[in-house]
Amino acid sequence: MHAACSRNRLSELLRSRSQRHWRCQCPYQLSSARGMTRGRSVKDRSKKKRVHALEVATERWKVLSKVLAVVDALKKEEEHVTPLKRLEILRPQLGLVKPHKVAHFVRRSPHLFEVCRDSRGVMWAGLSPQAEALVEEEARLLEEHSPVAAQYVTRMLMLSVDRRLPIDKIAHFRRDMGLPHDFRTRWVHMFPEHFRLVRLEDGEYLELVSWNPAWAVTELEKKASVSTGDANASPPGDLSLPFPMKFPPNFTSHYRFRGKAHHYVKTGNTEQFQKVTYLSPYAEAKGLTPGSPEFDKRAVAVMHEILSFMLEKRLVTDHLTHFRREFVMPQKLMRLLLKHYGIFYVSEGGKRLSVFLTEAYDGTELIEKCPLVRWREKLLQLTGYRGRFKNLGKFDVSSDSDDYLLGRDDDDVLDVESENSDYILDGCSLSDDSEMDLGDADEFCKD
């Protein structure tokens, strides 16, 4: 009798323990709770280390990317005119949710887009004369920029392990590198001395044709040679150049999170990191041990080099994560970017994360602007999303709201027929196959 009671109690105990174990380990519940908790942790840390000037630059890019999406769609149409309803397919790219319409978005930039009604009552949208002139100017600038873009694409092929990259992955950098719209069909065949298009079983690749020793020099080495006067290019090997670091004026070395002190940049670790000798991004890297200081510093050098190729020295982070294997970069790439605050700055606003090369910016402005960047500024001057704010260089960085940055007033809110007009900016997603690398961001929260 006593043995039976003991077995019953043991069975109940095991049953209760298994139920508790199931509650803790249920994949649905575990993934939901873990994702929400870690997501909030990343955002909380982001607020503590936010650089307002670069956040303003991020908001400008959001506005510009949406305008360029509409301009590109109209350029593909005959005579650059299309029924307004046809533009509704851009709703996901513009981040618009119901009841917002693309028509509202287009009407708010009358200097760029013209809207009219035909005799049948159909609404049409087209480019304004000013926009048409800008489109012609862009085509000319892209053609002039082609040799520089070809050099950067070739150097990316030289950075890769197999000296080849999938053409679909390079497409992610098209707008950031200033590649023309027809780069898949025409542009890739314009420089046969640098690269060629090859078709393999898993798709099309751009493959390096010849190695150029003069291009196997990092941007850091070029700046160092200018300062020292040594213009002799040496073969890629070990480097010991420190990375420039820039912090905002109100920067503090630590912050408190959930009662604990966390360091942005630990002085001892930073000095030790800068002294580590690392392999040039253009040298063979197959022998490096993942997780070693040399491996991590080379990864920082690769990211520094790639960001230097970009027009605005900025990239969406998920575009970088596509190249982990090709460029021999760590799996926790987001963690490495956030760790080296001062070399890079990660803007975590909205659905997509952006990484900046901090040394390239002075406040909200790029220090060196190529003609294509200045063209984008002229395009942004014609947008109607800032209302009374006509000067692009003057923003009140104390306000992070989209309404303030875009100059919305009460009439604008009524025009889009929604109290939640802020979402128009926050939902920006310009690539269907590009997703924010939440795994890396979650891993960073473990520390």
Side-chain angles (χ1 to χ4, degrees):
M1 182 70 180
H2 178 73
C5 293
S6 299
R7 283 195 299 272
N8 292 336
R9 291 184 59 185
L10 181 60
S11 300
E12 293 177 0
L13 179 62
L14 292 176
R15 190 181 303 110
S16 62
R17 289 188 61 183
S18 63
Q19 290 174 354
R20 288 198 303 269
H21 179 74
W22 172 255
R23 277 198 304 271
C24 295
Q25 299 298 325
C26 176
Y28 173 79
Q29 296 177 359
L30 182 60
S31 61
S32 174
R34 182 175 61 182
M36 292 177 61
T37 302
R38 292 185 177 178
R40 285 197 298 269
S41 298
V42 171
K43 292 297 181 182
D44 289 341
R45 294 189 181 197
S46 173
K47 292 178 182 178
K48 298 292 184 181
K49 58 183 177 60
R50 179 174 296 172
V51 179
H52 289 286
L54 296 181
E55 292 296 333
V56 171
T58 301
E59 296 300 331
R60 290 187 196 175
W61 172 78
K62 287 182 181 180
V63 177
L64 181 64
S65 61
K66 295 172 186 295
V67 174
L68 286 174
V70 179
V71 172
D72 289 345
L74 289 174
K75 286 195 311 187
K76 296 177 182 179
E77 299 292 335
E78 186 177 359
E79 297 183 0
H80 299 170
V81 176
T82 186
L84 200 53
K85 286 187 176 180
R86 188 177 297 177
L87 291 179
E88 289 297 322
I89 62 174
L90 295 177
R91 183 191 295 272
Q93 289 181 283
L94 300 180
L96 300 178
V97 295
K98 295 182 178 180
H100 303 303
K101 297 181 179 180
V102 178
H104 297 151
F105 184 89
V106 170
R107 286 195 181 100
R108 297 185 65 177
S109 292
H111 295 295
L112 287 177
F113 310 115
E114 293 183 344
V115 180
C116 62
R117 189 187 304 271
D118 64 11
S119 58
R120 297 177 298 173
V122 178
M123 297 295 295
W124 292 72
L127 296 176
S128 68
Q130 290 173 292
E132 293 282 3
L134 284 175
V135 167
E136 295 177 2
E137 182 182 357
E138 183 196 22
R140 177 179 58 82
L141 292 176
L142 288 174
E143 197 69 26
E144 294 175 356
H145 183 70
S146 285
V148 178
Q151 178 189 152
Y152 289 155
V153 171
T154 304
R155 292 172 70 179
M156 286 181 62
L157 296 175
M158 294 167 64
L159 288 172
S160 63
V161 175
D162 301 324
R163 310 302 185 226
R164 69 164 70 102
L165 293 173
I167 195 72
D168 290 335
K169 291 187 178 182
I170 300 177
H172 292 302
F173 294 134
R174 182 186 66 79
R175 187 170 289 168
D176 296 303
M177 296 185 69
L179 300 175
H181 302 280
D182 59 349
F183 87 101
R184 286 174 178 266
T185 57
R186 182 184 68 91
W187 189 87
V188 293
H189 303 289
M190 289 176 56
F191 305 93
E193 69 278 12
H194 298 325
F195 42 74
R196 61 172 173 261
L197 189 66
V198 295
R199 290 176 174 83
L200 303 179
E201 294 180 357
D202 55 344
E204 294 183 333
Y205 285 75
L206 207 59
E207 188 176 65
L208 183 69
V209 170
S210 60
W211 182 276
N212 189 339
W215 288 354
V217 181
T218 64
E219 295 299 312
L220 278 180
E221 290 180 275
K222 291 181 181 178
K223 292 180 180 178
S225 64
V226 170
S227 60
T228 59
D230 184 13
N232 296 325
S234 57
D238 290 336
L239 299 175
S240 57
L241 296 173
F243 293 95
M245 303 185 72
K246 181 181 288 187
F247 302 98
N250 60 344
F251 173 76
T252 56
S253 61
H254 68 279
Y255 68 99
R256 291 194 171 274
F257 179 70
R258 292 183 178 176
K260 297 181 180 180
H262 299 264
H263 289 268
Y264 292 122
V265 179
K266 295 182 180 180
T267 305
N269 293 352
T270 302
E271 293 176 353
Q272 183 180 1
F273 173 81
Q274 293 283 31
K275 294 178 180 178
V276 171
T277 301
Y278 62 98
L279 198 62
S280 170
Y282 296 98
E284 184 66 42
K286 291 183 178 180
L288 290 178
T289 304
S292 64
E294 294 78 13
F295 182 90
D296 289 346
K297 192 164 184 180
R298 181 195 173 274
V300 170
V302 170
M303 290 184 284
H304 186 282
E305 190 75 354
I306 294 175
L307 285 172
S308 300
F309 298 160
M310 303 301 132
L311 298 178
E312 300 181 24
K313 316 305 178 190
R314 179 207 56 81
L315 266 180
V316 176
T317 55
D318 53 9
H319 290 177
L320 277 174
T321 58
H322 289 318
F323 291 93
R324 288 192 185 101
R325 188 193 66 82
E326 289 85 351
F327 294 149
V328 193
M329 293 192 291
Q331 190 71 19
K332 310 300 187 217
L333 187 59
M334 178 58 63
R335 182 178 179 179
L336 196 64
L337 289 171
L338 292 172
K339 179 180 179 181
H340 293 286
Y341 181 74
I343 302 175
F344 310 109
Y345 173 71
V346 178
S347 173
E348 301 177 33
K351 288 187 175 181
R352 312 182 81 199
L353 281 67
S354 299
V355 57
F356 290 81
L357 194 61
T358 56
E359 66 186 80
Y361 278 81
D362 182 13
T364 63
E365 301 295 330
L366 268 172
I367 297 176
E368 298 179 3
K369 298 180 181 180
C370 71
L372 279 171
V373 173
R374 298 190 182 279
W375 177 87
R376 293 178 179 183
E377 291 181 348
K378 289 196 293 185
L379 182 69
L380 195 57
Q381 289 277 9
L382 295 179
T383 60
Y385 308 118
R386 297 187 319 279
R388 63 185 181 276
F389 297 99
K390 303 300 182 183
N391 191 339
L392 283 173
K394 294 183 179 179
F395 285 88
D396 184 357
V397 297
S398 63
S399 174
D400 292 329
S401 68
D402 294 334
D403 285 338
Y404 185 86
L405 288 167
L406 301 184
R408 294 193 183 111
D409 52 23
D410 295 338
D411 294 336
D412 293 332
V413 177
L414 291 175
D415 184 44
V416 296
E417 300 177 355
S418 173
E419 297 177 356
N420 191 23
S421 59
D422 293 355
Y423 188 80
I424 295 179
L425 275 184
D426 293 337
C428 177
S429 179
L430 297 181
S431 179
D432 294 336
D433 57 348
S434 298
E435 298 179 356
M436 182 177 66
D437 195 1
L438 291 176
D440 284 342
D442 289 346
E443 287 295 332
F444 179 74
C445 296
K446 290 182 179 179
D447 291 350

